[in-house]
Amino acid sequence: MRIGIDLDGCLTDEHGFIIDYGTKYFSNNNIKYCLHNDVYDSKEIFEVTEEQYNQFWKDNLFDYSKNISIRPFAANVINKLKDNNEIYIITARYLTTYENENKEKMQNIVKEWLKLNNVLYDEVIFSEDKVNVCENLKIDIMIEDKPENILLISNKIPVICYNHPYNEKLHKDNIIRCHSWYDIYAKIKNFEIIKNSIK
């Protein structure tokens, strides 16, 4: 079986980072903000301007990318799944898909971070078009947190939705909600049983 895994929000707690570091950044810079925990986009989370949002990430992106902790048990579960499945990390991490001098730098940071955190995988793909990637690679199930991606991909294949306040309203037959990496492991093992029984 081929398993696709998103990076930010699934392997990391990007949303928690944004709230912790965003509130610090805007407070220290005397920028008025209004916090919304149930939206995906950072700018909308804080009701700040595009310029303020961009500056926050300019000041924090590389620190986040190099030093963010991996979620508890993520590497352990992925490496257990890797025994009998193919693992594809599919990410649209900022800068990795841009044609500029930072593209290769950020892609290397992602690969080094995966290596540092002992995440085994067959291939890492940098793309904003995850539906197309899933189709081309014949992914059987995708682990994702971004609402837009969940809705689009779930039209094609089952999606494990890593639970966040901003995606809690998503409910479809092809969306499997999970709350931790061992919860994901249990759901994937059950999915494998069902898939094999249909063959």
Side-chain angles (χ1 to χ4, degrees):
M1 190 167 76
R2 294 185 168 193
I3 302 170
I5 303 173
D6 172 51
L7 176 58
D8 299 304
C10 294
L11 285 177
T12 71
D13 183 8
E14 181 186 33
H15 193 64
F17 177 92
I18 289 169
I19 290 174
D20 288 339
Y21 283 76
T23 51
K24 176 188 176 186
Y25 174 83
F26 296 124
S27 295
N28 287 349
N29 288 280
N30 296 313
I31 297 170
K32 184 179 179 182
Y33 67 87
C34 183
L35 185 61
H36 302 279
N37 192 38
D38 60 346
V39 291
Y40 179 81
D41 187 83
S42 301
K43 183 179 65 174
E44 294 176 4
I45 291 173
F46 297 108
E47 285 189 20
V48 294
T49 68
E50 189 83 26
E51 183 181 359
Q52 291 164 340
Y53 158 76
N54 289 338
Q55 190 61 48
F56 160 69
W57 271 119
K58 184 177 180 181
D59 290 357
N60 289 281
L61 178 64
F62 285 99
D63 177 48
Y64 164 84
S65 302
K66 293 176 182 177
N67 301 313
I68 188 70
S69 297
I70 192 168
R71 285 188 181 276
F73 312 116
N76 179 253
V77 166
I78 291 168
N79 297 346
K80 283 160 69 82
L81 291 170
K82 180 76 174 65
D83 287 341
N84 300 304
N85 302 284
E86 294 177 29
I87 303 294
Y88 296 87
I89 309 297
I90 307 170
T91 178
R93 164 74 63 82
Y94 184 60
L95 296 180
T96 59
T97 60
Y98 287 52
E99 294 302 329
N100 61 34
E101 69 278 3
N102 285 313
K103 177 180 180 179
E104 186 175 350
K105 179 181 178 181
M106 183 58 79
Q107 289 186 357
N108 288 333
I109 288 172
V110 168
K111 292 173 184 176
E112 283 299 315
W113 185 88
L114 292 167
K115 181 179 180 181
L116 179 68
N117 286 284
N118 303 308
V119 177
L120 301 180
Y121 60 90
D122 291 274
E123 187 178 353
V124 57
I125 299 99
F126 301 99
S127 175
E128 293 184 6
D129 188 356
K130 294 187 178 182
V131 175
N132 191 47
V133 171
C134 287
E135 287 184 320
N136 289 340
L137 291 175
K138 296 180 171 52
I139 299 296
D140 294 290
I141 192 165
M142 179 72 189
I143 302 167
E144 178 64 66
D145 71 300
K146 186 176 180 179
E148 178 185 357
N149 288 338
I150 292 168
L151 288 171
L152 290 172
I153 297 169
S154 65
N155 288 327
K156 307 287 184 179
I157 59 171
V159 176
I160 289 180
C161 169
Y162 204 109
N163 188 71
H164 285 280
Y166 52 76
N167 63 34
E168 286 182 338
K169 294 179 181 178
L170 300 183
H171 299 283
K172 280 174 60 179
D173 289 342
N174 238 13
I175 296 174
I176 306 161
R177 186 165 298 277
C178 288
H179 299 262
S180 71
W181 271 94
Y182 265 96
D183 191 23
I184 289 172
Y185 183 70
K187 300 287 173 53
I188 286 182
K189 298 308 287 184
N190 185 58
F191 177 76
E192 284 179 323
I193 293 169
I194 294 170
K195 190 171 187 293
N196 290 334
S197 69
I198 295 172
K199 288 181 178 179

